[in-house]
């Protein structure tokens, strides 16, 4: 019963953290006059979840912890995140518009082929964008290096990409069915899903469950042995 209570509290704190991050995204996006505040908020979300992931000793964060890390990162990312995010968005808008154009115009058999190719390109690009912000949060490298690494991660980690895509589709379906979830968690939940999938399956240096969790287990074992 005690284990169940502890597990429930742990899960509740994770839900609270996701909720706090979503509120922080909304507040800080407005603080940045929307266009200037959204991408720094995205960067701050990834950085906040990364900090939580890399702290296995204490993942029962308070509201203040989540908000403080988010706010500090947001201020630091005001310029850099916008320079990184806007070019991505413009490319994605072009891809989406081309897919919409093909879907709403009769181009014959060639149109079906092009439509399928564009759909795949849009899905791959969406995965690339989501992964790129995680890579950016984890490595202090330039934009070109981040782009190359993110593209390679999408391709060479097919299990990670597949699980991420499935969970994101499930999230979108849940948002569609229960609109209250979208209001409560917004883009915060999909970002959390992305980070947890990458942490579990992508084998990113410095953010790999296979490296971090065993270290934590060894530390706990040594502490227990010391007490005895």
């Amino acid at each position: 019963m005690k284990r169940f209570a502890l597990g429930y509290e742990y899960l509740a704190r994770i839900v609270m953290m996701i909720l706090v991050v979503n509120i922080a995204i909304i507040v800080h996006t407005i603080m940045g006059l929307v266009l200037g505040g959204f991408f720094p908020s995205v960067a701050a979300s990834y950085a906040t979840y990364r900090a939580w992931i890399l702290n296995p000793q204490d993942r029962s964060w308070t509201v203040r912890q989540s908000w403080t890390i988010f706010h500090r990162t947001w201020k630091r990312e005001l310029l850099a995140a916008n320079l990184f995010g806007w070019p991505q968005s413009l490319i994605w808008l072009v891809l989406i518009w081309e897919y919409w154009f093909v879907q709403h115009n009769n181009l014959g058999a060639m149109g079906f082929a092009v439509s399928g190719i564009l759909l795949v390109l849009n899905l791959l690009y969406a995965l690339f964008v989501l992964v790129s912000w995680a890579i950016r949060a984890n490595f202090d490298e330039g934009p070109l290096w981040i782009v190359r690494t993110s593209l390679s991660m999408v391709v060479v980690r097919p299990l990670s990409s597949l699980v991420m895509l499935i969970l994101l589709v499930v999230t979108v379906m849940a948002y569609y069915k229960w609109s209250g979830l979208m209001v409560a968690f917004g883009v915060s939940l999909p970002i959390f899903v992305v980070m947890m999938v990458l942490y579990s399956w992508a084998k990113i240096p410095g953010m790999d469950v296979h490296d971090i969790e065993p270290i934590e287990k060894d530390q706990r074992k040594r502490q227990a042995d010391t007490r005895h």
Side-chain angles (χ1 to χ4, degrees):
M1 190 67 181
K2 182 179 180 181
R3 181 176 296 180
F4 174 79
L6 291 174
Y8 179 81
E9 181 185 0
Y10 181 70
L11 180 61
R13 285 185 178 273
I14 293 176
V15 172
M16 178 59 69
M17 178 182 64
I18 298 172
L19 178 61
V20 169
V21 170
N22 185 48
I23 295 172
I25 291 173
I26 296 171
V27 171
H28 287 78
T29 298
I30 295 172
M31 285 171 58
L33 302 179
V34 181
L35 295 180
F38 177 70
F39 289 117
S41 296
V42 171
S45 301
Y46 275 90
T48 301
Y49 289 140
R50 177 182 179 273
W52 179 82
I53 284 172
L54 298 184
N55 186 27
Q57 298 91 347
D58 179 21
R59 287 180 175 164
S60 299
W61 279 16
T62 63
V63 171
R64 183 176 181 179
Q65 282 177 288
S66 302
W67 189 275
T68 300
I69 293 175
F70 186 102
H71 182 67
R72 289 175 179 172
T73 307
W74 183 85
K75 290 194 296 183
R76 188 171 64 247
E77 291 281 3
L78 273 173
L79 177 61
N82 279 302
L83 292 176
F84 187 75
W86 280 109
Q88 285 186 338
S89 297
L90 293 176
I91 294 172
W92 205 353
L93 284 174
V94 172
L95 288 173
I96 292 173
W97 180 85
E98 288 181 346
Y99 180 72
W100 179 91
F101 179 82
V102 172
Q103 287 290 100
H104 290 80
N105 290 273
N106 187 7
L107 303 179
M110 182 61 69
F112 287 106
V114 174
S115 176
I117 293 172
L118 286 173
L119 177 60
V120 172
L121 281 176
N122 272 282
L123 291 175
L124 290 175
Y125 190 76
L127 290 174
F128 156 73
V129 170
L130 293 169
V131 170
S132 68
W133 287 95
I135 297 298
R136 184 177 178 276
N138 194 58
F139 297 101
D140 186 15
E141 299 287 348
L144 291 179
W145 187 91
I146 293 170
V147 169
R148 289 197 302 268
T149 304
S150 302
L151 286 171
S152 65
M153 291 296 297
V154 172
V155 176
V156 303
R157 298 286 188 266
L159 177 60
S160 173
S161 298
L162 179 61
V163 173
M164 189 186 309
L165 186 61
I166 291 173
L167 291 179
L168 289 173
V169 169
V170 171
T171 302
V172 171
M173 291 175 63
Y175 278 4
Y176 180 78
K177 187 171 183 179
W178 299 290
S179 57
L181 290 176
M182 183 170 62
V183 174
F185 299 116
V187 298
S188 176
L189 179 56
I191 292 174
F192 180 78
V193 168
V194 169
M195 289 297 285
M196 290 307 298
V197 170
L198 293 176
Y199 175 60
S200 302
W201 285 286
K203 300 180 181 178
I204 299 175
M207 199 179 74
D208 183 3
V209 65
H210 302 94
D211 295 331
I212 296 172
E213 299 294 344
I215 293 174
E216 172 61 13
K217 288 180 180 178
D218 290 341
Q219 290 176 345
R220 289 179 180 176
K221 184 178 180 181
R222 285 197 295 269
Q223 289 174 357
D225 292 340
T226 302
R227 293 192 187 99
H228 290 94

